[in-house]
Amino acid sequence: MIEATQTALTPSEVTKIMSTEALAEYRQKLQAQYDPNAPMIYVCCGTGCQAAGSVDVVEKFREILVGSAWDGKVVPMIKPTGCHGFCSRGPLVIIEPQDIFYQRVTVNDVQEIVEKTVLNNELIKRLQYKSAGAKESITKASEIPYYAKQTRLVLKNIGRVNPTEIGDSIIRNGYAALAKALTQMTPQQVIDEVSSSKLRGRGGAGFPTGLKWESCAKQEGLRYVICNADEGDPGAFMDRSLLEGDPHSVLEGMAICAYAVGSHRGYMYVRAEYPLAVKTLTTAIRQAEALGLLGKNIMGTGFDFEVTISTGAGAFICGESSALMASLEGKVGRPRPKYIRSVEKGFRDSPSNLNNVETYANIPSIIANGGNWYKSYGTERSSGTKVFALTGNVFNIGLVEVPMGISLMEIVFGIGGGVPNKRALKGVQTGGPSGGCIPIPHKIPDINVGYGKLAEVGSIMGSGGMIVMDEDTCMVEVARYFVNFLVEESCGQCTPCREGLTRMKEILDRITQGDGREGDIELLEEIGKFTNNFSLCGLGTSAANPVLSTIRYFREEYEAHIRDKKCPAGVCKKLFHYEIDPDICTGCGLCKSKCPVKAISGEKKKVHVIDQSLCMKCMECYKNCKFRSVKIM
Amino acid sequence: MRVLNIILNGKAVTAREGQTILELAQENGVFIPTLCHSPALEPAAMCRLCTVQVIEGGRAKFVTACNFPLRRDAEIRTDSPEVRHGRKLIIELLMARCPSSPELQRLAVEYEADLTRFSSLNDDCVVCGLCTRACEAVTGKTLSLAGRGTAIHVSTAFAKISDFCIGCGACVQICPVQKISMEDVDGERHILLHGKIVSQVKLPRCKSCGKYFGPVIDLEKVMDRMGEHLIPPPNADTCPECSRHNLAVKLGKRYFEQYGVFREEGQADAG
Ligand SMILES: Cc1cc2nc3c(=O)[nH]c(=O)nc-3n(C[C@H](O)[C@H](O)[C@H](O)COP(=O)(O)O)c2cc1C
Ligand code: SF4
Ligand code: FES
């Protein structure tokens, strides 16, 4: 990770902030040193962009900029930031004050960017972003539809602060909400404000956060505040992005919670596969403690709150609240069979308030701006915004933060840029591995994304996974994929989940292999309802969702697999073959040149044919035919 | 203690606050099948066979009777069609693993389980966790559940022959499908999990009758706990039978000395 050297003040140079006024003064001092017109180069250093080489990009910028002669000009500052959420275009560079957006920047582009763009305001076309199908490239980050159509409340600092530099957060009002809570509000007032915001937990179940805090505050004795940063849903990375890009918002949210519920000890349970997040958090906690914003006697108010980081055991099930607490205690991460809530008896049998990363990260703005402000976003039952991890068959893959109640079609087309390769949209899977498939736009034209609406159509909000599926997606295979994931991740202790999922997987395996039997659909439904009702924990009680929702909306696809031994989407290899439609084929020969096993023959300008005995169904001809003459049969 | 008003299968009964549904049902003569429950151990609620429906505050839900504590007035249905159907599935799923268990066979008849729906997986274990919990209560370390998902299984640490086992046999006693066994061979007690030896405990030989008896470690533990205060201290080289006999002889002698009616007898049978 890159150490911060650019910002003027590092915590070691200042003494502890001993009052809330001192925090305000410190902020003003930092703001005074900051020239909004000075050139500033933001380089995304999230996990995705780092993997694509952004650390080298930062180093190159430093090499060129630091120590060069600037003829009276202001030296540009370089800021490595957390993940912007647009990883598929990384490494990303944004140049202020002009808000110039460059994508897929490599070390070799840096010299040119400095010479042309930073010094002479000249744009480099090849690095600019173009919307799908558009001719003109877009200059400003804020004009790219992907960003322009989002409402970034919780992600507001990401991409704008250096996460290893607490001063960056403080300039942008970091810890001001904590100061407000500690000096101007009683714990009950804090809880009331959170309740009035109608914020619901972002970790999956959507439990009202204010209500949870209220019940925890009522308990006696030692209490714990725990942050669930296990983020086990494959494909979801909003929590990682927050921890790596804006750790202080999460820490501040936890500290506010601790004050509200009367706790002095906090734990962050971070997924073991997130080393960068752990590192960034460690730095953030150290810096906040050095400044007196965490730890003993915070800002001289007498309030103590210490945070410890614990790395997860690397299992999906450890994200479940009781398994998480067992794991934190050093025991095997298995859900506990207790009908008692962790706000009453959780970690070490003490009252424990567990919230998700995104939930905590929403808290500072709610305290600063009020619950009514937060509630003005979103809908009556689902207030505020939610970050989704948009992925699958969609142009713009990445994190999107939108107000609750937004149209799903708007997310896919407006922000996501639609489905690539001229394919039609078949559905959207939401809620992670135990979510459901929503058949937009054909069977359900559109929905407004919120907790209630998603449940109504048989899916869940989950932690915000969102997979766009095009017409080439086989829904039986989708169900099989998720059940397979859950079988592996089930802790195995209770019969319905362990045995039921095993059998569902067995049945789905045989259906996709062409050995499906009459009655299999009904059997899947029967087992699915059973596992949903009889399992011990949330994994088992939601595990059948992908199966039940695909049966609900795509039953005919299951039937085609079982009765006709056909996979209409052309995915299950044993259940389809390709044929070239002689009425459409122009004999261009592209398929013939693409076929890796030379299964296609035909003379130029004459109809081509596929030799079925050679074809290995790799999809090359199907994907590449410009006239779509290759048909799934 | 607060008294709760409960409708149990349509009948009005009262319950103590905090009591489990299973306890209440037993008190009222209502039978709920259980597989992973033992009143002597902490409930683990793993088998889910005891699942019933509870209607509390207008909301119906499925809960496990063995560990659900009653906290407010409620209606309970222990035998509704939904409950029976779920139990039938549990039995069918477990029978595919443990077809030879008499307990499961009996339940299969009662719940009209269809044993043709799921192919046999012949795993032999129903993963009720009774042995591991019993073990935990005695030594704490020998048997535990290892692995995840379908791979979950009862095991000693690292699947090695355990050093912690005291040969008490609690696991053998408690296993509902009789897949753990115990053999005393050549002065050693063997615990076998699915026929495979998982622990070997040396047995002491009785200096009176020459028989091998209760494992040494067991007695050491007892002596540890009882300390010096126990008079006479348990004798690690005499089997309980001979100890009892020797004590009786001693007492008898004293009785004879007082009343003059004692017939000397040989030692206990060394068979
Ligand atoms: C199998 C399973 C996995 C879960 N994984 C996570 C996770 O990775 N992160 C998370 O925040 N919540 C996860 N949850 C939800 C938590 O149990 C819990 O509801 C949540 O952390 C509470 O925080 P919230 O109220 O802020 O959402 C999981 C739940 C289940 C059943
Ligand atoms: S539902 Fe699945 S994950 Fe949850 S306790 Fe049961 S076996 Fe474990
Ligand atoms: S007896 Fe209650 S779950 Fe097994």
Side-chain angles (χ1 to χ4, degrees), chain A residues 315 334 337 339-340 344 488-496 498-499 502-503 506 523 526 530 533-536, chain B residues 44-48 51 62-64 67 71 85-86 93 96-97 117 119 121 126-127 145 148-150 152:
Chain A
R334 271 190 207 117
Y339 288 104
I340 188 154
E344 288 173 45
E488 302 278 320
E489 295 298 331
S490 156
C491 84
Q493 67 178 323
C494 77
T495 318
R498 180 186 68 244
E499 305 294 334
T502 307
R503 297 307 177 159
E506 183 183 299
L523 188 54
E526 185 186 338
F530 158 71
N533 285 333
F534 276 63
S535 297
L536 189 155
Chain B
M46 287 161 66
C47 75
R48 319 302 288 172
T51 300
F62 291 90
V63 303
T64 38
N67 71 331
R71 286 171 154 195
H85 183 257
L93 290 166
R97 294 219 177 257
R117 298 211 291 176
S119 57
L121 290 173
V126 287
V127 200
L145 288 170
R148 236 187 15 220
T150 33
I152 195 169

Side-chain angles (χ1 to χ4, degrees), chain A residues 200-209 212 227-233 239 316-322 324 354-360 434 463 486 537-542:
Chain A
R200 295 171 66 170
R202 299 299 192 232
F207 191 82
T209 306
K212 191 184 277 186
C227 177
N228 191 341
D230 197 47
E231 196 162 64
D233 287 10
D239 294 349
F316 176 66
I317 193 62
C318 287
E320 193 275 340
S321 59
S322 66
L324 182 147
L354 176 74
N355 279 122
N356 164 260
V357 172
E358 194 183 328
T359 313
Y360 283 124
S434 46
S463 58
L486 292 166
C537 86
L539 189 149
T541 56
S542 62

Side-chain angles (χ1 to χ4, degrees), chain B residues 184 189 203-216 218-219 222 232-249 268-269:
Chain B
D184 288 351
R189 173 163 294 176
L203 295 175
R205 194 193 274 270
C206 176
K207 76 165 191 227
S208 281
C209 65
K211 244 195 324 195
Y212 289 111
F213 67 99
V216 171
D218 201 358
L219 281 172
V222 174
N235 210 339
D237 50 20
T238 315
C239 74
E241 229 171 284
C242 292
S243 295
R244 242 192 335 271
H245 178 84
N246 294 348
L247 190 64
V249 169
D269 276 356

